[in-house]
Amino acid sequence: MQRHTMCEIDLAAIRNNVRVMKAHVAGGAGLMAVVKANAYGHGAVPVARAALEAGADMLAVAIPEEGIELREAGIDAPILVLGGIEEEAAEAVAAHGMTQVVFDEARVRALSKAGEKLGKPVSVHVKLDTGMNRIGLRTAEDVQALVRLIDSLPGVELTGCFTHMATADEEDRTGTLVQIARFEALCEAIAQVHPGRIMRHAANTASIFCYPQIHADMVRGGIALYGYPPVPGVSGLMPAMRWTARAVFVKTIAPGDRVSYGGLFEAKEPTRVMTVPVGYADGYRRALSGCGCVLVRGKRAPILGRVCMDQIMVDVTRIPDAQVGDEVVLLGAQGEDCISAEEMAAWLHTISYEVLCSPGKRVPRVYLNA
């Protein structure tokens, strides 16, 4: 390793979080571990393996390339591609034995052609739009028409249907209850035209903990897999990511000296400044300038001035023993303190999901408890 800037990923935490979610699953439903976006920045292959070891039944990705990465790593568990695909991607989906979400005729026909060519049917799940208004079919008539098309074509097989809850993490239950009713109605519409049972799934992470009535055949666990509760009151989850660096320089500046681009920070007293080799090119957001902090020797050190592309400067005046080589925690625990993804998200006016996805490719992931 050429520099000591890394994300430590605790796979024991991932396994623990799978068990926590499974303990809340009702009616014998399975658990689909959502490992899209490189497992929310944690590393798709190691996280997928850990989740499956802990009892996950299926994996979910956003795009075919993410599923192909898992297959090439030797993971043979069922994989659902949650997003729509270009028609030319159908053969790759088929060749790697993935299940594809469908919601229109063109993609169904492309998958049928790919399945026929490869000699095995492509599994598809119909996306039902019950209120998210992103992708999916909204009416019973449209759903039944697409199901009839799937059943009429070679090379493609209907194995499931699902929807996504837009407000399950909010206190007001009205919107979610409306979505549940719509989902049940559309599932019934499918049953009227399709022989045999298919997998039904509607519960996102918040729904795992709040809406057992929609656990159906499968639930989809996302943010909780990585240790963050989707709603208040969920206990037992363990954050899996810890982002650290090492100090490369410490100096004292005089009153009136300014720090970083634009000189936005001006010292009012003699100030010890620590330089840390991480910046917005690593995914440590520039918007943290002047509002974020890090942990040094278990204490908080505020960011001074603007975050640079490759470095930040922090105030260690109140940490007199801080020195070059000290571990600096950007995200996670050190000593008795912790900077959570939720706290960093509050500084950035965003959500923990975006924070976890932020560390870039040049920040290596180091896996603990593999």
Side-chain angles (χ1 to χ4, degrees):
M1 187 177 295
Q2 301 303 309
R3 62 175 187 155
H4 295 277
T5 301
M6 71 190 80
C7 282
E8 297 174 344
I9 309 299
D10 186 352
L11 296 178
I14 297 292
R15 290 188 284 267
N16 169 80
N17 299 335
V18 169
R19 290 189 287 267
V20 170
M21 287 189 286
K22 285 178 69 70
H24 286 81
V25 173
L31 173 68
M32 186 183 304
V34 181
V35 294
K36 64 181 180 177
N38 195 32
Y40 292 34
H42 292 64
V45 171
V47 168
R49 286 177 175 151
L52 292 168
E53 288 168 7
D57 303 283
M58 191 170 182
L59 304 170
V61 298
I63 58 176
E65 291 87 343
E66 293 175 341
I68 292 170
E69 178 188 5
L70 299 176
R71 288 286 186 250
E72 290 180 343
I75 294 173
D76 59 3
I79 297 173
L80 176 64
V81 181
L82 292 167
I85 58 167
E86 300 295 336
E87 293 173 41
E88 55 264 33
E91 193 164 321
V93 170
H96 289 88
M98 295 184 284
T99 299
Q100 177 61 49
V101 168
V102 293
F103 45 83
D104 64 4
E105 178 179 345
R107 289 169 176 81
V108 169
R109 291 192 179 279
L111 290 163
S112 170
K113 187 179 297 184
E116 228 186 339
K117 178 179 178 181
L118 294 173
K120 61 177 182 178
V122 182
S123 168
V124 298
H125 285 195
V126 171
K127 181 62 181 290
L128 307 174
D129 181 7
T130 59
M132 186 76 174
N133 285 316
R134 193 162 57 180
I135 57 174
L137 299 169
R138 294 168 54 85
T139 69
E141 293 76 18
D142 288 344
V143 170
Q144 288 179 336
L146 193 68
V147 168
R148 288 190 180 102
L149 175 65
I150 294 167
D151 287 343
S152 72
L153 293 173
V156 65
E157 179 183 6
L158 178 64
T159 59
C161 67
F162 76 109
T163 194
H164 189 69
M165 297 296 157
T167 59
D169 57 349
E170 298 182 3
E171 288 187 18
D172 185 347
R173 297 169 64 88
T174 306
T176 300
L177 295 176
V178 168
Q179 283 196 262
I180 292 171
R182 290 175 179 170
F183 177 65
E184 291 172 347
L186 291 176
C187 287
E188 176 58 30
I190 292 173
Q192 291 171 7
V193 298
H194 177 78
R197 182 173 175 80
I198 60 173
M199 181 192 298
R200 298 163 300 123
H201 50 109
N204 59 357
T205 314
S207 303
I208 293 174
F209 299 98
C210 300
Y211 294 94
Q213 67 267 43
I214 56 164
H215 287 184
D217 301 308
M218 185 76 67
V219 302
R220 301 187 303 272
I223 191 66
L225 180 62
Y226 306 100
Y228 288 91
V231 291
V234 175
S235 61
L237 297 174
M238 298 169 56
M241 180 184 289
R242 186 171 180 267
W243 188 0
T244 69
R246 281 192 191 176
V248 295
F249 194 53
V250 179
K251 64 182 178 295
T252 300
I253 62 174
D257 284 347
R258 295 176 181 269
V259 176
S260 198
Y261 291 111
L264 296 184
F265 173 80
E266 180 180 347
K268 306 301 183 188
E269 61 180 356
T271 302
R272 295 188 77 227
V273 179
M274 173 181 282
T275 301
V276 184
V278 66
Y280 60 77
D282 300 292
Y284 194 76
R285 299 269 297 281
R286 192 172 184 267
L288 291 164
S289 302
C291 68
C293 67
V294 301
L295 297 177
V296 178
R297 299 195 173 219
K299 299 177 181 179
R300 296 202 166 208
I303 295 171
L304 300 178
R306 287 188 173 132
V307 173
C308 305
M309 181 179 288
D310 313 297
Q311 299 173 88
I312 58 173
M313 282 66 73
V314 301
D315 185 352
V316 293
T317 307
R318 307 291 183 264
I319 313 174
D321 49 352
Q323 59 186 338
V324 171
D326 277 355
E327 179 190 70
V328 178
V329 174
L330 312 168
L331 178 68
Q334 186 188 62
E336 296 182 358
D337 204 348
C338 178
I339 297 172
S340 70
E342 293 167 324
E343 182 178 12
M344 189 179 288
W347 299 338
L348 292 165
H349 305 288
T350 185
I351 57 176
S352 58
Y353 302 66
E354 186 174 0
V355 169
L356 295 174
C357 290
S358 293
K361 288 185 178 179
R362 77 178 193 180
V363 180
R365 274 59 170 173
V366 176
Y367 293 94
L368 311 177
N369 300 306

